[in-house]
């Protein structure tokens, strides 16, 4: 990979140990992937910040000096920074988690801990280069916002934040963003159907970028931003692809470059998804003992909708099962959402910030989780003390709570 004189100097250690280490990581990744150069990025998003996942490895972050060069945000940590005690988090874990957070804050990274940075001010424009490390956000940024990021790991996103650049390969280059496989959806979809669809697509396409052709008729509306958020999260959970195309949604879904060649490639491989493929996800296997929504973190719209559903289903009753909603603190505290959150909590539902069901140790004592999230469907059985997860649309999740 070609380096400028300034980049060479950093690699030689002339700007200190931290930047030298960061540059070594970027050069190693760039060389493996045959990148020609480093390119400037608009922002970075760093994952792996829950003490549950990073453990004592955070001491490495603690040893770093200086500050990040671009706007940088963090993924959820292992607890709500204000309500960790209420969550049953041990003092030992809380102290360690605070140290992890302090290590990142010292580097100038924003302590808003969320997987939806694009909903709280870190929203890139079309064509901007990023180094993001949360798969759901990577898919959303590439596919819905038209920004350009590879699926970074925690070390490479942090290294890119410290240098302000990333190696130019993969999804940073237009020729690698073209669809490779057609997925034809032959039914109407709504709400958690997009989680099921994403789960299926991720499994079926592996690392091939899909062109998703949604069933269209005058009575079917295109997916909402929240549905696309769930689709992105589920594809990222089961597949290893960093973007998808949907005509009319993905900014470059016209597939300008090499359109003819792409079309012929696409016609060779085609996956069809029918209604029964989606319905298979809603099997009522186990009785849920907890309900969890907000994976990825809930938007203001979703919180408002959940409140409306609680009002309609619950009248004035309190929920009879544990019910957790996860969101970003900036969303919880926004003017339009604050009152809604209070009203939601009046039903006995807990709204939790900074963390989520999967990355916190507080939710490992349940047997079966009811959720509208395809990403939870994938990760709860792996990372949450052996619990099962059951998919349900948002309305059913609320109904089951009473
Ligand atoms: Fe976000 Fe946690 Fe889901 S990080 S995407 S809420 S697993």
């Amino acid at each position: 990979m070609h380096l400028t004189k300034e980049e060479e100097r950093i690699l030689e250690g002339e700007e200190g140990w931290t930047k030298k280490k960061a540059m070594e990581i970027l050069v190693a990744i760039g060389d493996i992937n045959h990148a020609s150069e480093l390119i400037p990025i608009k922002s970075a998003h760093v994952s792996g910040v829950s003490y549950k996942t990073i453990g004592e490895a955070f001491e490495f972050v603690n040893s770093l000096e200086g500050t990040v060069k671009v706007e940088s945000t963090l993924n959820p940590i292992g607890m709500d920074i204000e309500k960790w005690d209420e969550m049953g988090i041990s003092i030992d874990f809380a102290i360690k988690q605070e140290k992890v957070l302090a290590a990142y804050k010292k580097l100038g990274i924003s302590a808003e801990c969320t997987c939806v940075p694009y909903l709280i001010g870190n929203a890139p424009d079309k064509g901007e280069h990023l180094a993001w490390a949360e798969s759901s956000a990577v898919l959303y940024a590439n596919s819905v916002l038209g920004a350009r990021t590879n699926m970074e790991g925690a070390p490479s996103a942090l290294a890119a934040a410290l240098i302000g650049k990333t190696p130019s390969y993969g999804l940073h280059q237009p020729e690698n963003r073209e669809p490779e496989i057609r997925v034809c959806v032959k039914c109407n979809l709504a709400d958690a159907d997009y989680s099921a669809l994403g789960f299926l697509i991720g499994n079926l396409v592996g690392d091939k970028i899909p062109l998703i052709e949604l069933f269209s008729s005058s009575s079917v509306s295109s997916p909402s931003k929240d549905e696309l958020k769930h689709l992105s999260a589920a594809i990222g959970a089961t597949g290893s692809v960093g973007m998808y195309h949907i005509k009319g949604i993905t900014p470059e879904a016209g597939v300008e470059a090499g359109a003819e060649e792409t079309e012929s490639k696409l016609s060779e491989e085609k996956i069809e998804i029918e209604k029964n493929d989606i319905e298979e996800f809603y099997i009522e296997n186990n009785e849920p003992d907890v309900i969890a929504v907000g994976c990825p973190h809930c938007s203001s719209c979703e919180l408002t909708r959940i409140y409306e559903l609680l009002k309609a289903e619950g009248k004035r009753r309190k929920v009879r099962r544990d019910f957790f909603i996860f969101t970003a603190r900036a969303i919880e505290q926004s003017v339009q959402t604050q009152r809604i959150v209070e009203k939601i909590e009046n039903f006995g539902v807990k709204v939790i910030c900074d963390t989520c069901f999967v990355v916190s140790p507080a939710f490992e004592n349940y047997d079966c989780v009811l959720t509208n999230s395809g990403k939870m469907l994938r990760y709860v059985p792996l990372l949450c003390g052996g619990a099962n997860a059951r998919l349900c649309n948002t309305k059913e999740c609320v109904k089951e709570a009473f």
Side-chain angles (χ1 to χ4, degrees):
M1 186 169 67
H2 168 76
L3 295 183
T4 64
K5 287 219 159 46
E6 193 202 345
E7 289 159 0
E8 291 278 7
R9 280 199 315 102
I10 294 172
L11 190 60
E12 292 303 315
E14 289 184 29
E15 293 197 17
W17 182 84
T18 296
K19 286 177 86 174
K20 176 180 166 57
K21 284 287 146 203
M23 188 58 89
E24 281 173 1
I25 291 171
L26 297 182
V27 168
I29 292 170
D31 283 343
I32 289 168
N33 291 288
H34 310 292
S36 55
E37 59 179 347
L38 291 174
I39 46 170
I41 51 167
K42 176 76 190 322
S43 69
H45 182 74
V46 181
S47 68
V49 291
S50 166
Y51 184 71
K52 176 176 164 176
T53 49
I54 193 173
E56 292 304 314
F58 86 88
E59 287 296 357
F60 172 74
V61 181
N62 220 1
S63 70
L64 302 174
E65 290 172 343
T67 51
V68 291
K69 292 287 165 288
V70 291
E71 179 179 11
S72 302
T73 40
L74 283 184
N75 228 27
I77 54 172
M79 62 190 200
D80 185 309
I81 206 74
E82 291 177 5
K83 293 190 209 158
W84 58 266
D85 203 10
E86 258 176 62
M87 289 173 67
I89 294 282
S90 72
I91 182 94
D92 188 43
F93 184 95
I95 289 170
K96 285 181 166 149
Q97 183 62 76
E98 280 178 0
K99 282 188 182 162
V100 177
L101 197 54
Y104 284 104
K105 272 160 82 173
K106 191 180 72 161
L107 297 173
I109 302 182
S110 162
E112 279 288 349
C113 303
T114 181
C115 44
V116 292
Y118 49 87
L119 294 183
I120 61 155
N122 185 4
D125 290 330
K126 183 185 171 194
E128 281 179 341
H129 295 276
L130 320 169
W132 283 14
E134 158 57 44
S135 63
S136 66
V138 165
L139 275 131
Y140 193 92
N142 281 317
S143 317
V144 181
L145 304 175
R148 296 180 181 191
T149 175
N150 286 319
M151 196 93 79
E152 300 292 345
S156 63
L158 181 57
L162 289 162
I163 300 293
K165 293 180 181 177
T166 193
S168 179
Y169 71 95
L171 295 173
H172 291 286
Q173 296 171 337
E175 63 273 23
N176 297 327
R177 295 172 64 85
E178 292 184 12
E180 298 158 289
I181 184 164
R182 193 188 300 272
V183 177
C184 191
V185 183
K186 311 194 100 176
C187 55
N188 290 342
L189 300 174
D191 200 278
D193 293 343
Y194 284 96
S195 290
L197 177 68
F199 197 102
L200 269 176
I201 290 178
N203 265 335
L204 294 169
V205 304
D207 61 358
K208 286 191 181 149
I209 297 175
L211 172 65
I212 305 170
E213 295 179 339
L214 293 173
F215 180 77
S216 78
S217 81
S218 54
S219 60
V220 183
S221 51
S222 42
S224 67
K225 293 262 157 68
D226 289 318
E227 287 167 335
L228 293 167
K229 181 166 67 98
H230 281 286
L231 176 71
S232 302
I235 294 177
T238 57
S240 48
V241 68
M243 83 173 284
Y244 56 85
H245 291 256
I246 299 179
K247 277 195 181 140
I249 287 171
T250 306
E252 59 212 273
V255 201
E256 308 94 344
E260 253 177 51
E261 199 186 311
T262 304
E263 268 301 320
S264 62
K265 217 194 298 176
L266 273 169
S267 54
E268 286 167 24
E269 259 195 285
K270 181 171 166 182
I271 293 169
E272 295 197 341
I273 292 181
E274 314 265 356
K275 189 73 190 167
N276 62 321
D277 298 318
I278 301 290
E279 278 167 356
E280 278 175 13
F281 279 81
Y282 298 107
I283 299 163
E284 294 186 17
N285 42 10
N286 298 325
E287 175 79 6
D289 51 357
V290 60
I291 295 153
V293 299
C295 172
H297 278 173
C298 277
S299 67
S300 293
C301 274
E302 286 177 300
L303 288 169
T304 307
R305 173 151 183 258
I306 292 167
Y307 168 58
E308 294 300 334
L309 291 169
L310 284 164
K311 255 194 328 185
E313 288 295 333
K315 311 289 186 274
R316 290 173 185 278
R317 290 174 298 160
K318 296 243 183 215
V319 291
R320 66 180 177 93
R321 293 184 211 268
D322 286 355
F323 189 164
F324 299 101
I325 298 175
F326 301 93
T327 189
R329 189 164 298 283
I331 292 173
E332 186 227 30
Q333 292 182 345
S334 68
V335 184
Q336 81 227 69
T337 310
Q338 226 173 19
R339 286 282 300 136
I340 300 278
V341 168
E342 269 175 49
K343 289 178 184 173
I344 289 175
E345 293 202 312
N346 286 342
F347 284 94
V349 179
K350 292 198 170 60
V351 178
I352 311 249
C353 300
D354 315 317
T355 186
C356 76
F357 200 93
V358 173
V359 302
S360 172
F363 307 103
E364 291 175 355
N365 293 325
Y366 292 103
D367 291 324
C368 180
V369 188
L370 196 64
T371 181
N372 59 358
S373 162
K375 181 159 178 175
M376 282 187 63
L377 210 57
R378 170 89 174 107
Y379 285 113
V380 164
L382 300 174
L383 299 171
C384 300
N388 289 310
R390 217 178 96 188
L391 190 70
C392 221
N393 70 39
T394 314
K395 189 174 176 188
E396 289 298 314
C397 283
V398 172
K399 208 169 167 183
E400 281 286 330
F402 292 99

